[in-house]
Amino acid sequence: MGRRVVFVMLGLGALGVAVGADVQRGTDRFVAPLRENDPTGLTDLLPSGGFRYYSVVASVPERTSADYELRVHGLVDRPLTLTLDDLSRMPQTELVRDFQCVTGWRVTSVRWTGVRLADLLDAAGTRPGATALTFRSFDGAYTESLTIDQARRPDVLVALTMLDGPITHDHGGPVRLYVAPMYGYKSIKWLAEIEVVDTVTPGFWEQRGYDVDGWIGKSNGRDDEPV
Ligand SMILES: Nc1nc2c(c(=O)[nH]1)N[C@H]1C(S)=C(S)[C@@H](COP(=O)(O)O)O[C@H]1N2
Ligand SMILES: [Mo]
């Protein structure tokens, strides 16, 4: 074996050690910089499938399937506190759609399953005056918003799976929102709370300049971009 080959293998070995400890939680963060410089596209075959890890806070507490809860409250007839089991027992909808971040990256044909947000709103029963939703994350910082009409679209899910498996912690599991027709920032991760309200309160990135109505190709100055 030539000297150069050995050197390369040692390099890869060191990489393996560095990555090994954090591989379950950290794959996406590790892979993202590689992916930026990957003309082969091979990194898309990795488990995170082209997604980049985003969080506005440094660390997010883990919620397991045993301790996860989703609160639906505000202008509703029946406030709900739903476990992951409760959500899994509701009718599940599947969507296969591209995921598009407003910063430019896109993951094609991602499979999602979950409960239609419309079904949750029906279960809770929205009161007169309910015109919008505020979403909060158990990361303690991120928020999002939708109008009731947007929320009732059939392509808006409270997602329980993505990429053919349970949603991993890095992707916002065990439960995140998936707003298929809008940019990725609308799909709040680590979903903890849905409050039904009478006015839209702009979410985390929307308070920092992103469009509240984040339609792919029709917002954030990207009207000409093909969808
Ligand atoms: N709680 C929370 N949700 C979030 C974000 C975030 O930083 N925190 N980033 C948003 C943005 S801008 C995008 S593009 C997607 C990225 O999802 P991913 O981290 O699974 O790739 O999550 C969205 N939801
Ligand atoms: Mo994004």
Side-chain angles (χ1 to χ4, degrees), residues 12 16 38 56 89 93 111 127 142 208:
L12 283 176
D38 175 20
V56 297
R89 279 194 290 264
T93 296
R111 188 188 313 275
R127 292 211 198 136
Y142 204 85
R208 291 158 178 81

Side-chain angles (χ1 to χ4, degrees), residues 82-158:
L82 300 164
T83 64
L84 194 58
D85 264 0
D86 295 334
L87 289 166
S88 327
R89 279 194 290 264
M90 295 181 70
Q92 305 293 306
T93 296
E94 181 186 290
L95 293 173
V96 179
R97 300 282 298 271
D98 293 357
F99 188 88
Q100 171 81 53
C101 173
V102 71
T103 63
W105 55 272
R106 178 188 307 214
V107 187
T108 50
S109 303
V110 182
R111 188 188 313 275
W112 302 79
T113 70
V115 178
R116 280 200 175 122
L117 184 50
D119 290 345
L120 274 188
L121 293 175
D122 287 343
T126 52
R127 292 211 198 136
T131 53
L133 304 183
T134 296
F135 301 88
R136 296 189 183 87
S137 168
F138 61 80
D139 69 7
Y142 204 85
T143 57
E144 254 307 332
S145 70
L146 288 175
T147 67
I148 285 276
D149 289 347
Q150 292 166 356
R152 287 192 175 281
R153 288 175 56 111
D155 52 1
V156 176
L157 302 183
V158 170

